[in-house]
Amino acid sequence: MGLISDGDKKVIKEEFFSKLEEPVKLIAFIGKEHCQYCDQLKQILAEISELSDKVTYEVHDFDAEKELAEKYRVDRAPATVITRNGEDFGVRFFGLPAGHEFGAFLEDIVDVSTGNTDLAPDTKEAIANVERDVRILVFVTPTCPYCPMAVRMAHKFALENTKAGKGKILGDMVEAIEYPEWADEYKVMAVPKVVIMVDGEDKVQFEGAYPEKMFLEKLLAALE
């Protein structure tokens, strides 16, 4: 039995995948740990790829294919990277993109395919100028209705920085239930929780789905 209903498949085709321009490849890494939902992940990727000839997917063994994982800057699994023709835009999901995050996953596929986001011009300019290594972790749970907003913001920042030729920003959704030790490391008590790392060091943490201007202010503060 499929995970995506026929009604939802129709919506995905008409409202999301009708906007696709360039081919998108979903590259998933699965390892020995945190894999209670790996079968569901593989099934979701397979079902999504059947809805458009512009969407394909690959599943790789994280433990056996370390070089490929490093190429896509993936340091643990399960993880899914949304790429355009294999080009990495820093848009990643650590854990299953389920519940409220499924919509964010579909919107990210469209953004990566078109190369466009709805960020304001001054935000795009600020993001384009980021030249230090930034990693934005967004801890979520599938039932959190506010989490996709934070995830999408992190992913838009990553995409815009890559478009500018930098590729310095990584936007990571982290499913807190699947990665309990990662959530514990950052004392995640409520979601969404956002952690902004610069050059490998934790700089700024906050809870809540901040609007674009405030999210950008937090990023710029982390860079100071």
Side-chain angles (χ1 to χ4, degrees):
M1 182 177 172
L3 293 176
I4 305 173
S5 70
D6 289 341
D8 286 343
K9 287 179 179 178
K10 186 172 184 290
V11 171
I12 292 168
K13 283 182 177 180
E14 293 176 356
E15 295 189 16
F16 293 94
F17 288 179
S18 62
K19 302 172 186 174
L20 298 180
E21 295 177 6
E22 295 296 320
V24 168
K25 183 183 290 183
L26 309 172
I27 301 177
F29 293 91
I30 290 173
K32 297 183 181 73
E33 299 178 357
H34 310 294
C35 229
Q36 62 266 46
Y37 299 112
C38 286
D39 287 343
Q40 290 95 320
L41 175 61
K42 288 187 282 188
Q43 188 172 345
I44 281 179
L45 297 182
E47 290 182 25
I48 285 176
S49 70
E50 292 170 357
L51 303 179
S52 171
D53 57 6
K54 291 184 177 177
V55 179
T56 57
Y57 79 103
E58 299 175 354
V59 178
H60 298 277
D61 185 325
F62 174 74
D63 301 298
E65 299 180 73
K66 290 290 188 184
E67 282 190 19
L68 187 65
E70 287 174 7
K71 174 186 175 183
Y72 288 103
R73 300 175 286 181
V74 170
D75 57 358
R76 62 193 84 193
T80 305
V81 184
I82 301 177
T83 76
R84 187 166 75 203
N85 295 316
E87 181 184 356
D88 182 7
F89 283 81
V91 177
R92 301 106 65 79
F93 287 77
F94 286 86
L96 188 66
H100 288 287
E101 294 305 330
F102 186 62
F105 190 62
L106 297 174
E107 290 173 344
D108 283 331
I109 289 173
V110 174
D111 281 359
V112 171
S113 174
T114 62
N116 294 318
T117 73
D118 59 3
L119 295 176
D122 56 342
T123 302
K124 291 182 179 182
E125 184 178 352
I127 293 299
N129 290 325
V130 174
E131 297 190 355
R132 295 170 69 186
D133 290 324
V134 174
R135 186 174 191 181
I136 306 172
L137 303 174
V138 184
F139 290 91
V140 308
T141 59
T143 56
C144 165
Y146 305 105
C147 290
M149 186 187 301
V151 169
R152 289 277 290 139
M153 200 64 66
H155 287 163
K156 291 173 189 178
F157 283 15
L159 195 154
E160 289 293 345
N161 186 256
T162 303
K163 265 177 61 181
K166 307 291 173 55
K168 291 292 189 178
I169 299 179
L170 298 176
D172 295 346
M173 182 213 82
V174 181
E175 211 288 275
I177 297 169
E178 290 182 61
Y179 284 99
E181 77 293 339
W182 207 355
D184 288 345
E185 180 183 347
Y186 289 105
K187 298 179 172 59
V188 176
M189 305 298 289
V191 290
K193 176 159 186 179
V194 179
V195 179
I196 301 178
M197 306 170 68
V198 178
D199 298 330
E201 293 185 19
D202 304 337
K203 292 294 186 180
V204 169
Q205 300 186 24
F206 59 94
E207 292 176 354
Y210 282 27
E212 178 181 323
K213 189 168 185 279
M214 291 176 65
F215 205 116
L216 178 62
E217 287 172 356
K218 289 290 187 182
L219 174 62
L220 297 179
L223 289 164
E224 288 178 356

